[in-house]
Amino acid sequence: MESAHILIGLSGSIAAFKIATLVSSLTKQGYEVRVIETKHAASFIGPLTLAALSHNEVYMDEFGGTNEAMIPHIELSRWADVFLIAPADANILAKAAHGLGDDLLSSTILAATCPMLAAPAMNVHMYENPATQANLQTLHERGWTIIDPAYGMLACQEAGKGRMAEPEELEKNIKAILENKTAANEAPAESSIDQKPLAGKRVVVSAGPTQEALDPVRFLSNHSSGKQGYAIAKAAHDLGAEATLVSGPVSLEAPEGVRVVPIVSALDLEKAMIEEAKDADFIIMAAAVADYRFKDHHEQKMKKTGDVLTLELVKNPDILAGLGQNKKPGQILCGFAMETENLDTNALVKLESKNCDLLIANNLRTKGAGFQTDTNVVSLLFPDHTEHLGLQSKEALGHTILKTMLALQKGEDPNVIVR
């Protein structure tokens, strides 16, 4: 970690002066730090100051280098292990969200493949403007870590949310990403006892869709493939747990070593989950349960009788809420929420109303997330805060979820796992 490469990009905000403290601290700890400044940022803090603190040239000009630095946006993007944009003004956020590259900083952002962070800093009305919020949401959905600004008196003499996070907070977020990368790259051998932290634990995972029959031919269902639930069950087994998978109808092979309980309808799922939850340590409701079923089930195939057919639906039981209501001491319950709008707001309501310890929320419209994919982009909601994760495989997310639940059961800080 001490030799990690940290790239910091400054855009035009009075908060740029805080970056001197950050650069100084990181450099003293042995990190390699390079800085890109826009011309507006240089009006607030000169490149000489940042060069002296980082012991490296400060980059400003797209075409100012020679040799490998002749195209600095490529050289710097390849060099960086993590890239922080701070202060991130409204202009650079808009450029990043819309793929513009008209200066060195925006071009380097376009070329970067490392983890990205942004610390917004601007007037409260600029920050709250729907365009800025949409740009932040876009970047978050692409996997960026957004370090929220604080509320306070701003340089413009207005009070509101817009103060860039303090250097200590920026440093903490950078280190968290580097620690995750180090852990991923230097994972111990599979035989290591550290790879089996769930040994002795019983994990129950629901997965896939439910099917609500109308007649022997037709049913009501959804597009769930079951991939996320199956990936979690596999991760549970790999981490040493006794894993049970309560699965709706899917076309996936059961993970090796995982016990499968097949179900079809929501009523089947409710019965199975109540039984399996009795002695479970962790319960993960990843199944996409139909909210409604047909009031009448026809034993024979229904025949066409006219141009319009009216069918009555009745509500299915709320399985997650029932599990939350009857949760035993020491049990950790994780729910899932799929949304198409207002993701965090709707998911928080579900977390609280279902008595979950943890809720995984994703947006069906986010690229790389949702049904049928092998990847996911999610928010992890806890009762007191929310963590946003970038694009990753569903199996990797499974490991994160399970280790987070273990931390919660032990009373440890789950952010150590998440970040």
Side-chain angles (χ1 to χ4, degrees), residues 135-149:
N135 291 334
L136 286 168
Q137 181 64 25
T138 295
L139 296 175
H140 160 61
E141 290 173 356
R142 291 177 188 164
W144 284 47
T145 296
I146 307 300
I147 307 171
D148 288 341

PDB file of all heavy atoms in Angstrom, residues 135-149:
ATOM      1  N   ASN A 135     -26.039  14.157 -12.739  1.00  0.00           N
ATOM      2  CA  ASN A 135     -24.669  13.802 -13.087  1.00  0.00           C
ATOM      3  C   ASN A 135     -24.019  12.960 -11.998  1.00  0.00           C
ATOM      4  O   ASN A 135     -23.316  11.981 -12.282  1.00  0.00           O
ATOM      5  CB  ASN A 135     -23.843  15.073 -13.328  1.00  0.00           C
ATOM      6  CG  ASN A 135     -24.272  15.806 -14.586  1.00  0.00           C
ATOM      7  OD1 ASN A 135     -24.806  15.202 -15.522  1.00  0.00           O
ATOM      8  ND2 ASN A 135     -24.059  17.114 -14.622  1.00  0.00           N
ATOM      9  N   LEU A 136     -24.261  13.323 -10.744  1.00  0.00           N
ATOM     10  CA  LEU A 136     -23.721  12.532  -9.633  1.00  0.00           C
ATOM     11  C   LEU A 136     -24.308  11.130  -9.634  1.00  0.00           C
ATOM     12  O   LEU A 136     -23.596  10.146  -9.390  1.00  0.00           O
ATOM     13  CB  LEU A 136     -24.015  13.233  -8.305  1.00  0.00           C
ATOM     14  CG  LEU A 136     -23.178  14.479  -8.005  1.00  0.00           C
ATOM     15  CD1 LEU A 136     -23.759  15.240  -6.816  1.00  0.00           C
ATOM     16  CD2 LEU A 136     -21.722  14.094  -7.723  1.00  0.00           C
ATOM     17  N   GLN A 137     -25.597  11.026  -9.900  1.00  0.00           N
ATOM     18  CA  GLN A 137     -26.236   9.710  -9.948  1.00  0.00           C
ATOM     19  C   GLN A 137     -25.652   8.874 -11.078  1.00  0.00           C
ATOM     20  O   GLN A 137     -25.405   7.673 -10.918  1.00  0.00           O
ATOM     21  CB  GLN A 137     -27.750   9.865 -10.124  1.00  0.00           C
ATOM     22  CG  GLN A 137     -28.509   8.548 -10.174  1.00  0.00           C
ATOM     23  CD  GLN A 137     -28.435   7.751  -8.891  1.00  0.00           C
ATOM     24  OE1 GLN A 137     -28.223   8.318  -7.816  1.00  0.00           O
ATOM     25  NE2 GLN A 137     -28.579   6.441  -8.988  1.00  0.00           N
ATOM     26  N   THR A 138     -25.411   9.492 -12.221  1.00  0.00           N
ATOM     27  CA  THR A 138     -24.805   8.782 -13.356  1.00  0.00           C
ATOM     28  C   THR A 138     -23.443   8.231 -12.987  1.00  0.00           C
ATOM     29  O   THR A 138     -23.128   7.066 -13.264  1.00  0.00           O
ATOM     30  CB  THR A 138     -24.687   9.723 -14.563  1.00  0.00           C
ATOM     31  OG1 THR A 138     -25.986  10.095 -15.016  1.00  0.00           O
ATOM     32  CG2 THR A 138     -23.941   9.058 -15.713  1.00  0.00           C
ATOM     33  N   LEU A 139     -22.622   9.051 -12.352  1.00  0.00           N
ATOM     34  CA  LEU A 139     -21.279   8.610 -11.965  1.00  0.00           C
ATOM     35  C   LEU A 139     -21.347   7.508 -10.921  1.00  0.00           C
ATOM     36  O   LEU A 139     -20.582   6.529 -10.974  1.00  0.00           O
ATOM     37  CB  LEU A 139     -20.462   9.800 -11.458  1.00  0.00           C
ATOM     38  CG  LEU A 139     -20.178  10.884 -12.502  1.00  0.00           C
ATOM     39  CD1 LEU A 139     -19.474  12.078 -11.865  1.00  0.00           C
ATOM     40  CD2 LEU A 139     -19.353  10.333 -13.656  1.00  0.00           C
ATOM     41  N   HIS A 140     -22.261   7.655  -9.968  1.00  0.00           N
ATOM     42  CA  HIS A 140     -22.435   6.605  -8.959  1.00  0.00           C
ATOM     43  C   HIS A 140     -22.806   5.280  -9.614  1.00  0.00           C
ATOM     44  O   HIS A 140     -22.269   4.214  -9.266  1.00  0.00           O
ATOM     45  CB  HIS A 140     -23.516   7.021  -7.961  1.00  0.00           C
ATOM     46  CG  HIS A 140     -24.108   5.877  -7.202  1.00  0.00           C
ATOM     47  ND1 HIS A 140     -23.366   5.066  -6.377  1.00  0.00           N
ATOM     48  CD2 HIS A 140     -25.375   5.402  -7.164  1.00  0.00           C
ATOM     49  CE1 HIS A 140     -24.163   4.124  -5.868  1.00  0.00           C
ATOM     50  NE2 HIS A 140     -25.367   4.318  -6.336  1.00  0.00           N
ATOM     51  N   GLU A 141     -23.703   5.319 -10.586  1.00  0.00           N
ATOM     52  CA  GLU A 141     -24.135   4.101 -11.257  1.00  0.00           C
ATOM     53  C   GLU A 141     -23.018   3.487 -12.086  1.00  0.00           C
ATOM     54  O   GLU A 141     -23.044   2.286 -12.373  1.00  0.00           O
ATOM     55  CB  GLU A 141     -25.349   4.396 -12.137  1.00  0.00           C
ATOM     56  CG  GLU A 141     -26.607   4.706 -11.320  1.00  0.00           C
ATOM     57  CD  GLU A 141     -27.777   5.162 -12.166  1.00  0.00           C
ATOM     58  OE1 GLU A 141     -27.585   5.322 -13.398  1.00  0.00           O
ATOM     59  OE2 GLU A 141     -28.872   5.354 -11.614  1.00  0.00           O
ATOM     60  N   ARG A 142     -22.029   4.286 -12.448  1.00  0.00           N
ATOM     61  CA  ARG A 142     -20.868   3.748 -13.175  1.00  0.00           C
ATOM     62  C   ARG A 142     -19.798   3.213 -12.227  1.00  0.00           C
ATOM     63  O   ARG A 142     -18.738   2.762 -12.667  1.00  0.00           O
ATOM     64  CB  ARG A 142     -20.261   4.836 -14.065  1.00  0.00           C
ATOM     65  CG  ARG A 142     -21.144   5.219 -15.234  1.00  0.00           C
ATOM     66  CD  ARG A 142     -20.519   6.342 -16.032  1.00  0.00           C
ATOM     67  NE  ARG A 142     -21.445   6.848 -17.041  1.00  0.00           N
ATOM     68  CZ  ARG A 142     -21.307   7.999 -17.670  1.00  0.00           C
ATOM     69  NH1 ARG A 142     -20.255   8.773 -17.394  1.00  0.00           N
ATOM     70  NH2 ARG A 142     -22.187   8.399 -18.552  1.00  0.00           N
ATOM     71  N   GLY A 143     -20.053   3.296 -10.939  1.00  0.00           N
ATOM     72  CA  GLY A 143     -19.112   2.734  -9.979  1.00  0.00           C
ATOM     73  C   GLY A 143     -18.255   3.737  -9.245  1.00  0.00           C
ATOM     74  O   GLY A 143     -17.387   3.344  -8.455  1.00  0.00           O
ATOM     75  N   TRP A 144     -18.456   5.027  -9.486  1.00  0.00           N
ATOM     76  CA  TRP A 144     -17.685   6.038  -8.766  1.00  0.00           C
ATOM     77  C   TRP A 144     -18.088   6.061  -7.287  1.00  0.00           C
ATOM     78  O   TRP A 144     -19.247   5.826  -6.938  1.00  0.00           O
ATOM     79  CB  TRP A 144     -17.944   7.423  -9.349  1.00  0.00           C
ATOM     80  CG  TRP A 144     -17.272   7.724 -10.662  1.00  0.00           C
ATOM     81  CD1 TRP A 144     -17.236   6.921 -11.769  1.00  0.00           C
ATOM     82  CD2 TRP A 144     -16.566   8.916 -11.017  1.00  0.00           C
ATOM     83  NE1 TRP A 144     -16.567   7.546 -12.778  1.00  0.00           N
ATOM     84  CE2 TRP A 144     -16.144   8.776 -12.350  1.00  0.00           C
ATOM     85  CE3 TRP A 144     -16.272  10.093 -10.337  1.00  0.00           C
ATOM     86  CZ2 TRP A 144     -15.419   9.761 -13.009  1.00  0.00           C
ATOM     87  CZ3 TRP A 144     -15.559  11.091 -10.990  1.00  0.00           C
ATOM     88  CH2 TRP A 144     -15.126  10.920 -12.313  1.00  0.00           C
ATOM     89  N   THR A 145     -17.124   6.372  -6.437  1.00  0.00           N
ATOM     90  CA  THR A 145     -17.413   6.667  -5.038  1.00  0.00           C
ATOM     91  C   THR A 145     -17.628   8.172  -4.906  1.00  0.00           C
ATOM     92  O   THR A 145     -16.724   8.954  -5.220  1.00  0.00           O
ATOM     93  CB  THR A 145     -16.252   6.231  -4.125  1.00  0.00           C
ATOM     94  OG1 THR A 145     -16.108   4.814  -4.208  1.00  0.00           O
ATOM     95  CG2 THR A 145     -16.516   6.629  -2.676  1.00  0.00           C
ATOM     96  N   ILE A 146     -18.807   8.568  -4.477  1.00  0.00           N
ATOM     97  CA  ILE A 146     -19.114   9.991  -4.293  1.00  0.00           C
ATOM     98  C   ILE A 146     -18.983  10.314  -2.804  1.00  0.00           C
ATOM     99  O   ILE A 146     -19.715   9.755  -1.980  1.00  0.00           O
ATOM    100  CB  ILE A 146     -20.531  10.332  -4.794  1.00  0.00           C
ATOM    101  CG1 ILE A 146     -20.721   9.856  -6.246  1.00  0.00           C
ATOM    102  CG2 ILE A 146     -20.788  11.823  -4.661  1.00  0.00           C
ATOM    103  CD1 ILE A 146     -19.763  10.475  -7.245  1.00  0.00           C
ATOM    104  N   ILE A 147     -18.060  11.185  -2.476  1.00  0.00           N
ATOM    105  CA  ILE A 147     -17.839  11.590  -1.083  1.00  0.00           C
ATOM    106  C   ILE A 147     -18.674  12.840  -0.842  1.00  0.00           C
ATOM    107  O   ILE A 147     -18.328  13.944  -1.269  1.00  0.00           O
ATOM    108  CB  ILE A 147     -16.343  11.850  -0.819  1.00  0.00           C
ATOM    109  CG1 ILE A 147     -15.509  10.649  -1.258  1.00  0.00           C
ATOM    110  CG2 ILE A 147     -16.104  12.167   0.659  1.00  0.00           C
ATOM    111  CD1 ILE A 147     -14.015  10.893  -1.226  1.00  0.00           C
ATOM    112  N   ASP A 148     -19.781  12.663  -0.172  1.00  0.00           N
ATOM    113  CA  ASP A 148     -20.767  13.728  -0.051  1.00  0.00           C
ATOM    114  C   ASP A 148     -20.197  14.977   0.612  1.00  0.00           C
ATOM    115  O   ASP A 148     -19.416  14.882   1.575  1.00  0.00           O
ATOM    116  CB  ASP A 148     -21.968  13.251   0.768  1.00  0.00           C
ATOM    117  CG  ASP A 148     -22.835  12.268   0.004  1.00  0.00           C
ATOM    118  OD1 ASP A 148     -22.731  12.232  -1.233  1.00  0.00           O
ATOM    119  OD2 ASP A 148     -23.599  11.532   0.655  1.00  0.00           O
ATOM    120  N   PRO A 149     -20.593  16.157   0.116  1.00  0.00           N
ATOM    121  CA  PRO A 149     -20.183  17.400   0.769  1.00  0.00           C
ATOM    122  C   PRO A 149     -20.926  17.594   2.086  1.00  0.00           C
ATOM    123  O   PRO A 149     -21.959  16.965   2.326  1.00  0.00           O
ATOM    124  CB  PRO A 149     -20.571  18.472  -0.250  1.00  0.00           C
ATOM    125  CG  PRO A 149     -21.725  17.878  -0.995  1.00  0.00           C
ATOM    126  CD  PRO A 149     -21.435  16.406  -1.070  1.00  0.00           C
TER     127      PRO A 149
END
